[in-house]
Amino acid sequence: MNDRSRVRLVVVAVLVLSLPITLLSRLWYLQIMAGDRYAAAANRTSTSTVHTVAPRGLIVDDVGRPLARNDSALVVSALATALPKDKAARTAELRRLGAILGVDPASLEAKVTLCDYHRYGAKAPQMNPGCWTGSPLQPIPLVTLDTEDSAARATQIALQVLEQQELFPGITAEIQQVRDYPSPAGASAAQILGHVGKITADDVARATSEAAAQRLRQEAAAGGMIGQAGLEAEYDQYLQGTMGTKVVSVDPAGNPLATVSEIPPVPGDTLVTSIDARVQAIAEQALADAVQHARTVPQLANHRMVTQRADAAAAVVVDARTGHILALANYPTYDPGLWDGGTISDAAYNALLHAPGNPLFSQAVQGQYAPGSTFKVITTSGAVSTPYYSINGRYDCPTVFTAGNRTFTNFEGETGLGKISFAEALTVSCDTFFYKIGDTLWKADGGIDPKNPKDALIHEALDWGLGQPTHIDLPIDGSGNIETRQDKIDAWNKNKALWCSEAKTEPNPLYREYDRENCLDGYQYREGDALNFAIGQGTVTATPLQLAMAYAALGNGGTLFSPRIGKALVAPDGRVVQRIEAPSRKLPVPADVVAYLRQALTQVTTNPLGTAYNAFAGFPFDKYTIGGKTGTAEVQALNPDGTPKDSTAWFASFGGPVGQPAQYAVVVMVSQGGQGGVTAAPAVREIYDGIFGLDGSGPSRLPHDAFAAAGPALPNGVPPSEIPIVVPQPAAPSSPAPQTSASPAAAGADSGPFLRPPAGVVAASPESWKAPRGRRWR
């Protein structure tokens, strides 16, 4: 071996011997010299902030009956940081829990999985469907039991979970508040109330400011809910309340130790509405009665006695003096309790989504239908604003009216009455009388080639609030349609190619002719357009709510309101924070014309020739005045089975004590309901009878029109003017800092209540689980 090799061996030997010496020296330093310092660092704690959701404000009716409240429920939750770290042990625990809860363990596993924001960022919920989007220190709700029928089962679950913590580490069962829709007096009001749901990324994205977005992120992390439809959404910022904040000390592993400080949440304000639960229930029942009657009792349609399809309906009751809504009823409707707790099952939601009549859709607010003869009051008002008509004049009501090469008749070919007044024309609903008005004004404007058209009827309809949103305090609204000349030009430019194509290919001859005419000259305001407009048909559409506000203005003497459902906001301590008034403006209609129309429409219900006379036979007109107008609209469309749609039935009205401005406006619409006087007017009668505490009478009486024994739905038949006394909402009990049940001593002094069964859980009484609970119209 040469000298160079020996040197290499020596160097290697030195290096090998030095390594253990270096390692031992470092271990000696860490354990002996610096041991105390590192031990202190290992035991050092930090703090974490946990937000607690505030109790949501109530929604109550005009006398304080809860429409939406917070109910008591047993919520079984999991704390992700306290579950076993070992995968097999965790799976076994969730399998045991699933057996008790009757839930698939796989779904529990998905729920307790924390969303991996570190890896996926904002897309984490999509990458891990069902994962927990909140804070790891926040209990994750797994199952909620909030019905009276489940009280015994809830107690059993609470005992099994809480008394066997060695089998269920990290699992708790405690009383929490969940959203509940109790349907007082049997009123659904589902389309008004809406519902709450989990805060989503879309909700955060729609926030109007960064501060609002940050608040939503914090509430989402705390498991908070947000209003997603109806009043719950419209007044969400007031109902939400203010979150509480808890600062928790945690060890280096992230396990909570104790509460350092806490600011309790502040409950949201209570929304007092003008909805009256009894009136709402009466209106809903009246719609169901009207639909059943139309479907089972034959009536005259196209010269034959036939039943009607009656596939949907709506009713609106408004306080004509204030513009506040007392009822917005829909048919079909559904139980708002399906949304209790802020969730709805996929099966229940799909059933609603595909149910006949679309119960999720608000026919009262969004349903847009040709108003038919209910529009004739606007035609009258517009006509007498021109030099061609006088409110006291008499004009022809012929049997037949001819325009160009087309012949127009009265309803079901009724015989003309010669020269009659506007009041008589409204009473008997003479179509040819109003066709003549439309034709006269169209020709006065220059006919097919106008130079400076006045379009009196179009402008009159806009003045009455049609063709534009009502601006009701809901996230939804409906504008209806009042087509101007410019609208026709715009539509033609947009749709000409489609119309011209379908004029050659459309299989239905009726639609094909429609397409052919529009292809050629759809931009023109034709004579037929003017005639249809005058009787509320053709392209004219309105919502039941729009007509209710128009008839309220007629009944109250000329004040047109923008409707409001909210009446007041009341703080948790009972203070009235804000009274909510309905904005208004005056109708640009002379007072004598308004008075004439009001008097004329009372003949519709009291004159034997009136189209609603049978519906109001026997009504006590010595005490109450009811004026209104029927509408029976032919619908130029087909049902899914290819049959022509039945007419839309309307009755729009105002009413109240004799000798006073109208107290109420009541409108009923029944899609495919047939004649307004046969189907809709009796439903309006039933609603008035319910409000005033009367029994129905006469040949058109509906089966549930009997209210004398129960008395008036409203005290003395008048809406309450005072704000009801609202019981303050108690703050939700704050949950102590969560803990790992395997090491209870480490949880601090305030950890006990988190694992201790809440008061009443094992009580035998179920009460411990539930808070008080286009063409011819008549």
Side-chain angles (χ1 to χ4, degrees), residues 211-237:
Q214 180 60 23
R215 178 180 64 82
L216 287 175
R217 293 188 194 100
Q218 292 173 346
E219 289 181 351
M225 297 285 184
I226 190 172
Q228 293 187 333
L231 293 173
E232 291 277 28
E234 184 73 12
Y235 287 93
D236 184 73
Q237 61 177 315

Side-chain angles (χ1 to χ4, degrees), residues 122 126 199-206:
Q126 287 74 42
I199 299 170
T200 66
D202 289 340
D203 294 320
V204 176
R206 284 193 296 267

Side-chain angles (χ1 to χ4, degrees), residues 24-39:
L24 290 172
S25 298
R26 183 60 179 168
L27 290 173
W28 179 81
Y29 172 79
L30 291 175
Q31 294 185 12
I32 304 303
M33 299 297 295
D36 292 341
R37 177 158 56 90
Y38 282 103

